[in-house]
Structures are given as C-alpha cells and as structure tokens.
Amino acid sequence: MSDLLYSEEEEALRAAVRDLLTDHCDAAGVIARTESDAPHDLSLWKTLADGMGLAGLLVPEDRGGQGATHREAAVVLEELGRAVAPVPYLTSAVVATEALLACEGGGELLAELASGRRIGALAVGLHTAPGAAFTTVRLESGALHGELTGIADAAVADVLLVPADDGGLYAVEAGAATVAPQVSLDLTRPVARVTLDGAPGRRLGDAGTAVPRALRAGAGLLASEQLGSAEWSLTETVGYLKDRTQFNRPVGGFQALKHRLAQLWLEVVSLRAAARNAADALATGEDADVAVTVAQAYAAPVAVRAAEEALQLHGGIGMTWEHPVHLHLKRAKADSIAYGTAGTHREALAELVDLRAP
C-alpha cells in the first residue's frame, strides 16, 4: 500500500502553484473573463505549461515531458480547482495527453502538448464515463465527416483528437473543424460543438484503448479538482462565519452552524482520501478502475454540497455575482456530470466488485 500523504516535493509543488494563482488568477479576474468572449486565461496557461513545466507531468522524460506521476498532476488540479482557474489543464495535460500516451503514432504531438506549445482536446463529450460508448465520426476516402457535442475546451485547442468509425483516433487541426460554442452552466470550462466536413486527419492509434484510458485518468483526477473546490468552499465559509456577527456574537458560534460545518469537514476529509487514492492508483496501476469509480461516486455530491453550503451560509453576499462562490457552485454542478455521474460510477463499481443489485 502506497503512502497517500503528500510528500515534501508535492507540498512544494502546491505552494508554487498556489503562489502563482494568488498573483495571476484572482476571483474578480475569472468573473470578468466569464463575461468576455475569451473565458480562458492563456497567459496563465503559458506560465503553468511553459514556465513551470506542468503540462508535461504525465509524460516520460524521454518523450519530452517531466516524467512525474498522477500524484503530482492531482496536486496541481487541487490548486486549479481552488481557484476555478480557466485553463485547459484537465482537458489537455491529462485527458488528451493520456490518449496520446496510448497511441503509437502520437510521439511528436505528445511532446508539443507536454511543452505547452500546443493545446489538445479529446473530441469526446465531457459527460462520457470511462467505460461508456462514445460518438465517432465517419471516415470516408481519407477524410472525416460528422458532429461531436459537449467537447470541453475545444475553443482553445490547437489540435483535436477525434475517434472515427474505423476504430482509429485521428489528429485533426482545429482550423480544419468548425467549433461552435454551446451553452454551459460552467462558464470557466466552456464546451463546444465540433463539426467536421471532410476534414483531413492523421491516424494516431486505436481509439478503443486510447479513449477509455484517457477518460479514466480524467475521471480519477477530476476528483482532485473537486477536492480543491470543496476545500475552498469550507475554508471561506468558516472564515466568513467567524467574522460575521449577529446578536453581538459571531455567527459561527451558533450550534446549528457548527454541526453543519463539522459534517462538511468530515465529508471533505473523506473526499481527500478518495481523491488521493485514485491519483495514487493511476500512478501505480494497481486497482485503478476501482479507485477511480470510488472517487467519482463520492466526489460530486460532496463538491456540490460544499458549494451549496457556502452559498447559503454567506447569506445575501453569497447570492451576488461579485462573490466567487457562484463560480464554485457552477463548476461543481458541471463536474458532477463530467466523465460520468456519481450514479454511473456506483453502477460501475458494483460490477467491478461483483455486488450487482438483484
């Protein structure tokens, strides 16, 4: 059994990422971006990917990356979740990268994603669970035709990884596709409709192995993003209730609110254990399917509840557009259906441990 506690290196990585986000990703800036035509913060992404080398954490050194593991990527995602940072880390540095790691023809592109020179997006709907069927496009005389919906961060991708009906995964330059934004609850991770009308594609490998691997890593590490957001919600709410007074005493002193926060603390701590276990299992390859489904069966309800409690316990200020709690609630709600719902993962877990319902 691996040690799930954070190592000194992981804590140093966390501190570096948090410092950067504190300086370059304040809530007011994120909210302002959601109101613009460019919700993604590409200068922040360049600093994370190029300056700190974080886009290549999952890529071996001999293939152009940092040669780290899912544990380090999970720490980065905790901090990005805490800041609701509008960068394509999960979609490019985790999901697209994992798909390429499973492809024999992805070498050059993998190095480009690892360096942050290019952004990749797997053209599979964000709602798709790791073992679920996914939509493919038609391959006809060397060109790709079809429509794919709910593709996260397609708006900023330089290259799309597209599964086709011949079983292949193809690299399509974003300029060869029509990418149209779709309405999304979470304005910090926009989704889009991708239409291919005779687009040229380069076959990278087998979609049947690459897509489930990519989605499993996405689901497992999404739990760390959900953990970061839930921890923010809890910390901010405790801080607010210590300062806010009613009847000449801090609101946090009222027994009913203490109970609600204590319960939430227990759930967040349990989420940390599940998320750490999923990241560690992805890193070692031991029982990864079970660890990921357990984490995702648990993570979404906790992250949503943490954001809902934060919204309610902040009172009137929590309902305002200027307060960042709505960013966390929308991200938590959107994440709750990303890479499969909690219910889908519970069903998958029942199959994995042979405890099917009668």
Side-chain angles (χ1 to χ4, degrees), residues 138-145 198-200:
R138 198 171 80 255
L139 178 69
E140 205 172 275
S141 53
L144 299 167
H145 303 261

Side-chain angles (χ1 to χ4, degrees), residues 38-324:
H40 292 93
D41 188 342
L42 293 179
S43 64
L44 174 62
W45 169 249
K46 185 168 172 48
T47 308
L48 287 165
D50 191 15
M52 297 180 73
L54 300 182
L57 288 181
L58 298 181
V59 180
E61 288 182 53
D62 60 6
R63 300 183 73 177
Q66 303 298 322
T69 73
H70 299 80
R71 288 177 60 124
E72 287 80 10
V75 169
V76 173
L77 278 162
E78 282 180 38
E79 293 307 312
L80 295 176
R82 182 187 294 272
V84 202
V87 291
Y89 191 86
L90 184 68
T91 45
S92 184
V94 175
V95 177
T97 294
E98 283 275 350
L100 289 172
L101 284 167
C103 294
E104 57 278 6
E108 186 185 334
L109 186 52
L110 187 63
E112 289 177 340
L113 259 58
S115 68
R117 289 197 302 277
R118 305 188 85 197
I119 295 170
L122 180 67
V124 172
L126 182 61
H127 60 281
T128 314
F134 49 88
T135 307
T136 58
V137 298
R138 198 171 80 255
L139 178 69
E140 205 172 275
S141 53
L144 299 167
H145 303 261
E147 184 177 276
L148 300 157
T149 57
I151 311 304
D153 292 339
V156 285
D158 301 298
V159 61
L160 300 163
L161 309 182
V162 182
D165 58 3
D166 70 333
L169 187 68
Y170 288 81
V172 175
E173 293 299 316
T178 304
V179 178
Q182 291 180 280
V183 176
S184 172
L185 176 66
D186 178 11
L187 301 172
T188 60
R189 183 179 282 144
V191 293
R193 175 184 287 103
V194 172
T195 308
L196 304 176
D197 189 9
R202 180 169 67 84
R203 188 183 169 110
L204 301 165
D206 176 19
T209 52
V211 172
R213 172 178 171 165
L215 296 179
R216 183 179 75 168
L221 293 184
L222 177 67
S224 290
E225 178 188 287
Q226 290 165 308
L227 168 63
S229 177
E231 285 190 324
W232 179 92
S233 294
L234 177 62
T235 306
E236 287 293 309
T237 306
V238 169
Y240 178 74
L241 294 182
K242 282 179 177 174
D243 291 339
R244 175 98 165 83
T245 57
Q246 224 169 16
F247 311 116
N248 288 327
R249 56 182 283 199
V251 175
F254 293 109
Q255 194 73 11
L257 299 191
K258 283 183 180 178
H259 282 302
R260 283 168 68 168
L261 291 169
Q263 178 62 37
L264 189 57
W265 181 84
L266 284 172
E267 291 178 17
V268 171
V269 170
S270 301
L271 171 53
R272 184 184 302 128
R276 290 296 293 162
N277 187 47
D280 187 70
L282 286 166
T284 60
E286 290 177 32
D287 285 334
D289 288 337
V290 170
V292 168
T293 51
V294 167
Q296 272 309 313
Y298 191 74
V302 175
V304 171
R305 218 175 76 76
E308 287 175 344
E309 287 287 78
L311 182 74
Q312 198 169 68
L313 296 178
H314 272 82
I317 190 176
M319 298 294 290
T320 64
W321 183 256
E322 290 73 25
H323 196 283

